[in-house]
């Protein structure tokens, strides 16, 4: 029975993962950022108000959490606005999120360019490799997606969410979607 459960866990990773780092294992819970805030605003816990993402009192981790939440909610333009407020636009995780958000908003080529930039900044960015591979699967470029899967495994990502989700996309033809 344990073997069956382990096999199922490896073959069918949770479909409810949100965009995030390779260790993010649960979707973000909706906060006031997605419930109340508009036009790229973020809920500021200290003031208990929605504030502009460019507000200097916000740190990048707060913005990053908001990007994750907004992307999960399908609010891609708001997520892009928050991304533009990040202090280091060349950081690999920021570039990964630009790629993810543009790809999910239908701008696949632009998304792929951002994934490539993320990998140039950090070749070990497993999440960028997984999202890029899923975009390649969606475009029908299975061989290139397999290259990304091999890279994920070679860079220590065996059994990680990036590896499992890309492997599932290759097996089913369905990419990760909320």
């Amino acid at each position: 029975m344990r073997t069956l459960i382990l096999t199922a866990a490896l073959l069918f990773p949770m479909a409810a993962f949100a965009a995030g780092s390779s260790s993010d294992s649960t979707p973000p819970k909706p906060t006031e950022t997605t419930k109340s805030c508009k036009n790229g605003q973020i809920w500021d816990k200290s003031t208990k108000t929605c504030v502009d993402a460019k507000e200097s009192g916000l740190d990048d981790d707060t913005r990053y959490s908001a990007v994750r939440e907004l992307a999960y909610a399908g609010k891609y333009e708001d997520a892009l606005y928050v991304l533009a407020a990040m202090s280091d636009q060349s950081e690999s995780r920021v570039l990964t999120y630009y790629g993810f958000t543009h790809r999910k908003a239908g701008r696949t080529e632009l998304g792929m360019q951002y994934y490539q930039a993320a990998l140039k900044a950090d070749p070990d960015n497993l999440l960028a490799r997984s999202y890029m591979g899923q975009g390649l699967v969606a475009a029908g470029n299975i061989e290139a997606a397999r290259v990304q899967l091999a890279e994920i495994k070679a860079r220590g990502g065996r059994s990680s969410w990036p590896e499992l989700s890309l492997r599932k996309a290759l097996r089913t033809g369905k990419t990760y979607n909320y």
Side-chain angles (χ1 to χ4, degrees):
M1 184 64 157
R2 276 171 76 188
T3 304
L4 179 63
I5 292 170
L6 179 59
T7 301
L10 291 174
L11 292 177
F12 303 105
M14 286 179 54
F17 287 103
S21 74
S22 61
S23 63
D24 290 336
S25 61
T26 59
K29 292 183 178 168
T31 69
E32 294 303 319
T33 294
T34 50
K35 292 179 189 175
S36 302
C37 300
K38 307 283 185 229
N39 302 321
Q41 291 184 323
I42 298 172
W43 184 255
D44 184 338
K45 292 177 185 175
S46 63
T47 64
K48 294 185 171 58
T49 61
C50 295
V51 298
D52 190 277
K54 296 176 183 173
E55 175 69 37
S56 64
L58 298 172
D59 62 26
D60 279 352
D61 286 335
T62 300
R63 290 183 184 106
Y64 181 74
S65 293
V67 167
R68 239 185 122 228
E69 182 180 342
L70 291 164
Y72 182 84
K75 296 182 175 188
Y76 304 123
E77 297 309 314
D78 288 342
L80 287 170
Y81 184 83
V82 176
L83 279 168
M86 299 291 261
S87 63
D88 184 356
Q89 293 291 302
S90 63
E91 181 187 13
S92 183
R93 107 179 146 167
V94 172
L95 295 168
T96 299
Y97 271 88
Y98 271 120
F100 177 85
T101 305
H102 281 296
R103 180 172 66 87
K104 297 306 275 183
R107 297 180 289 271
T108 304
E109 286 304 314
L110 183 56
M112 291 301 199
Q113 291 171 15
Y114 276 108
Y115 292 142
Q116 290 168 354
L119 293 173
K120 185 175 180 183
D122 178 8
D124 292 328
N125 182 331
L126 303 182
L127 191 62
R129 290 190 180 282
S130 181
Y131 287 153
M132 175 185 256
Q134 291 177 54
L136 292 164
V137 168
N141 193 342
I142 303 304
E143 287 309 310
R146 286 189 177 128
V147 168
Q148 292 306 316
L149 182 62
E151 285 290 331
I152 289 168
K153 290 177 183 178
R155 294 171 185 277
R158 283 190 191 280
S159 299
S160 66
W161 185 87
E163 189 257 342
L164 295 172
S165 61
L166 180 52
R167 185 165 27 116
K168 181 179 179 183
L170 283 162
R171 187 180 70 249
T172 65
K174 295 182 181 178
T175 62
Y176 173 71
N177 201 351
Y178 305 119

